């Protein structure tokens, strides 16, 4: 089948990879199943509520489960109509969208946004400080004429997501001063400019011909031993299969 | 030829934004937990290669864009010989196999090829 003789064990390995790629998620009944799992594992006194003291994997993860924000994790947090879940999803989508919103201020297209660019952009959107900003004008432009950007049908393109993320005084209107605050919010490294992941720009990945980023990682079967990628240079090619169980 | 799984952050942990109950895995909070899940994965799926475990800072995952899954081939020269697309839809083992064939063809270059001469 192949012009070169490839040992059959490689074909078997690669077939295994095909089986290893995650299947499409089955979403129906997921919330029920997640609650059952959590209740079984954490609800020690079986009162139908998981208190913070019963959960030992950190406050952030607990808060992620506690969608209705009542301080406990219960079946109510997994209700199909959970407005809490909708709000959580919108908050997450809002954080993703904010970087894209900030990128619209990149006037010189150098993939960074300086304070000056941001100030000019915000002033241009709303010259009158008292007047609200047009939320639709903040959304990322479509990548092709007539075609909505990826995710347009989801919460990520909903202008209300922006309001929820930026409307500090919760008056239902996004004012210029509130929008200005987006810059310090995104400037995680405090270098007075927005760049890279601060703008939601994914890091450049290695391409064919690039030097492979080196690493030194522990073996799963014995974490006292590690493998350094560069140790294979001039010896063997190395196939890397990135993935996880779920 | 060397194969490694690089075991990274879960794609569908129960406490992720896209939970799946397959495996019922909560997002590991330390290397020991991630190693346990990696070992279970290799055993349950009967995978025939070694797994390396990315640390909790996800450094190698981020450097290679491995999440949720991706294939690479690093050539004998230490350069990327094949960089696969983002899984699941662009996770294509057949492309990796073709890349391996090309890499092995280079390895079988004649002995008197200038590239194979040893430096004195």
């Amino acid at each position: 089948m192949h012009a070169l003789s490839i040992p059959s064990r490689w074909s078997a390995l690669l077939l295994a990879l095909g089986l290893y790629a995650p299947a499409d998620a089955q979403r129906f009944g997921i919330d029920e199943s997640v609650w059952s799992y959590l209740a079984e594992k954490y609800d020690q006194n079986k009162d139908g509520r998981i208190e913070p003291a019963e959960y030992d994997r950190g406050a952030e993860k607990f808060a992620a489960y506690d969608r209705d924000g009542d301080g406990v994790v219960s079946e109510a947090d997994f209700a199909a109509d959970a407005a809490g879940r909708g709000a959580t999803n919108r908050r997450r989508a809002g954080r993703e969208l904010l970087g894209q919103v900030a990128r619209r201020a990149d006037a010189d297209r150098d993939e960074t946004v300086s304070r000056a660019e941001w100030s000019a952009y915000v002033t241009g959107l709303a010259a009158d400080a008292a007047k609200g900003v047009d939320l639709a004008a903040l959304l990322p432009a479509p990548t092709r004429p007539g075609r909505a950007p990826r995710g347009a049908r989801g919460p990520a393109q909903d202008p209300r997501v922006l309001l929820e993320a930026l409307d500090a005084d919760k008056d239902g209107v996004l004012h210029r001063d509130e929008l200005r605050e987006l810059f310090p919010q995104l400037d995680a490294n405090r270098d007075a400019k927005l760049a890279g992941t601060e703008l939601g720009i994914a890091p450049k990945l290695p391409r064919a011909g690039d030097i492979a980023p080196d690493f030194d990682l522990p073996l799963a079967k014995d974490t006292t031993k590690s493998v350094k990628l560069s140790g294979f240079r001039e010896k063997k090619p190395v196939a890397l299969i990135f993935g996880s169980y779920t | 030829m060397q194969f490694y799984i690089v075991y990274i952050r879960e794609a569908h942990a129960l406490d992720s934004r896209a939970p799946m109950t397959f495996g019922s895995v909560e997002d590991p909070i330390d290397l020991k937990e991630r190693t346990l899940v990696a070992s279970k994965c290799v055993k349950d799926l009967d995978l025939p290669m070694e797994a390396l475990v990315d640390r909790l800072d996800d450094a190698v995952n981020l450097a290679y864009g491995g999440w949720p899954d991706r294939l690479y081939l690093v050539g004998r020269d230490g350069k990327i010989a094949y960089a696969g697309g983002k899984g699941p839809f662009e996770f294509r083992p057949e492309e990796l196999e073709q890349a391996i064939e090309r890499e092995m063809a280079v390895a079988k270059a004649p002995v008197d090829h200038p590239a194979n001469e040893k430096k004195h």
Side-chain angles (χ1 to χ4, degrees), chain A residues 2 13 22 41-42 96 213 245, chain B residues 17 26 44 48 64 69 101:
Chain A
H2 300 289
L13 287 179
K41 186 170 176 187
Y42 295 108
E96 289 172 7
Y245 198 3
Chain B
R17 72 177 71 177
E26 290 169 279
D44 289 357
Y64 281 87
D69 46 28
E101 289 180 10

Side-chain angles (χ1 to χ4, degrees), chain A residues 1-6 10-18 20-27 29-31 33-34 37-38 41-42 55-57 61 64-65 67 85 89 92 96 203-221 223 226-227 229 232-246, chain B residues 1-15 17-29 31 33 35 37-41 44-45 47-55 60-66 68-81 83 88-89 91 93 96-97 100-101 103-105 108:
Chain A
M1 181 169 119
H2 300 289
L4 301 166
S5 68
I6 305 292
W10 289 344
S11 298
L13 287 179
L14 292 170
L15 180 61
L17 292 175
Y20 169 67
D24 293 331
Q26 290 184 342
R27 308 306 297 274
I30 282 291
D31 281 353
S33 302
V34 174
Y37 174 88
L38 293 175
K41 186 170 176 187
Y42 295 108
Y55 183 80
D56 61 356
R57 297 178 69 79
K61 290 181 185 294
Y65 284 129
R67 292 170 185 149
R85 179 167 195 166
N89 283 345
R92 283 175 176 152
E96 289 172 7
K204 289 193 168 35
L205 299 181
R207 296 183 296 182
D210 292 345
I211 299 286
D214 201 9
F215 58 71
D216 193 338
L217 291 180
L219 279 163
K221 69 177 184 186
T223 54
S226 67
V227 170
L229 178 66
F232 288 96
R233 204 170 291 181
E234 304 306 325
K235 292 177 187 162
K236 293 182 186 181
V238 183
L240 301 174
I241 303 113
F242 287 83
S244 65
Y245 198 3
T246 60
Chain B
M1 188 63 222
Q2 181 71 41
F3 286 82
Y4 283 116
I5 290 164
V6 182
Y7 197 87
I8 56 174
R9 184 163 297 277
E10 295 300 316
H12 296 287
L14 290 178
D15 43 359
R17 72 177 71 177
M20 283 177 66
T21 51
F22 172 73
S24 291
V25 178
E26 290 169 279
D27 197 30
I29 55 173
L31 184 63
E33 275 195 16
T35 304
V37 181
S39 300
K40 183 171 163 46
C41 175
D44 289 357
L45 298 181
L47 297 174
M49 66 282 277
E50 301 261 35
L52 306 176
V53 187
D54 195 17
R55 296 184 180 84
V60 180
N61 176 10
L62 291 170
Y64 281 87
D69 46 28
R70 201 185 287 259
L71 297 168
Y72 282 92
L73 179 66
V74 179
R76 200 177 272 101
D77 59 2
K79 293 182 181 175
I80 301 289
F89 303 111
F91 183 95
L96 176 60
E97 185 169 17
I100 291 171
E101 289 180 10
E103 182 66 20
M104 298 312 292
K108 287 188 176 179

Side-chain angles (χ1 to χ4, degrees), chain A:
Chain A
M1 181 169 119
H2 300 289
L4 301 166
S5 68
I6 305 292
S8 61
R9 66 177 184 275
W10 289 344
S11 298
L13 287 179
L14 292 170
L15 180 61
L17 292 175
L19 296 171
Y20 169 67
D24 293 331
Q26 290 184 342
R27 308 306 297 274
F28 298 108
I30 282 291
D31 281 353
E32 238 174 48
S33 302
V34 174
W35 165 245
S36 297
Y37 174 88
L38 293 175
E40 174 68 30
K41 186 170 176 187
Y42 295 108
D43 184 11
Q44 290 161 21
N45 60 5
K46 302 300 173 202
D47 64 349
R49 295 148 52 93
I50 302 171
E51 309 281 344
E54 292 176 307
Y55 183 80
D56 61 356
R57 297 178 69 79
E60 194 177 328
K61 290 181 185 294
F62 188 87
Y65 284 129
D66 182 18
R67 292 170 185 149
D68 60 14
D70 66 352
V72 296
V73 176
S74 65
E75 196 167 10
D77 292 305
F78 298 88
D81 64 340
R85 179 167 195 166
T88 301
N89 283 345
R90 283 199 298 278
R91 276 195 293 276
R92 283 175 176 152
R95 286 194 291 273
E96 289 172 7
L97 188 57
L98 295 180
Q100 295 177 48
V101 166
R103 284 178 75 176
R104 307 225 32 216
D106 182 16
D108 60 8
R109 310 251 177 161
D110 67 349
E111 298 205 328
T112 63
V113 174
S114 65
R115 278 192 187 282
E117 281 177 313
W118 182 245
S119 183
Y121 175 69
V122 173
T123 301
L125 281 176
D128 180 351
K131 199 176 167 188
V133 174
D134 178 5
L135 294 178
L138 292 178
L139 294 176
T143 51
R144 295 181 203 173
R147 286 195 60 172
R150 196 171 176 177
R153 287 185 293 275
Q157 290 297 323
D158 185 346
R160 291 172 299 174
V161 167
L162 294 176
L163 209 57
E164 203 163 308
L166 296 171
D167 183 18
D169 61 10
K170 304 297 177 203
D171 67 348
V173 175
L174 185 62
H175 297 280
R176 193 175 67 188
D177 288 343
E178 289 171 328
L179 180 58
R180 283 198 199 285
E181 286 305 304
L182 178 57
F183 190 97
Q185 274 188 41
L186 294 180
D187 186 14
N189 61 2
R190 300 282 178 262
D191 66 349
K193 67 176 189 287
L194 305 180
T197 51
E198 292 171 336
L199 292 173
I201 299 172
K204 289 193 168 35
L205 299 181
R207 296 183 296 182
D210 292 345
I211 299 286
D214 201 9
F215 58 71
D216 193 338
L217 291 180
L219 279 163
K221 69 177 184 186
D222 182 357
T223 54
T224 65
K225 296 187 169 69
S226 67
V227 170
K228 194 169 171 66
L229 178 66
S230 55
F232 288 96
R233 204 170 291 181
E234 304 306 325
K235 292 177 187 162
K236 293 182 186 181
V238 183
L240 301 174
I241 303 113
F242 287 83
S244 65
Y245 198 3
T246 60

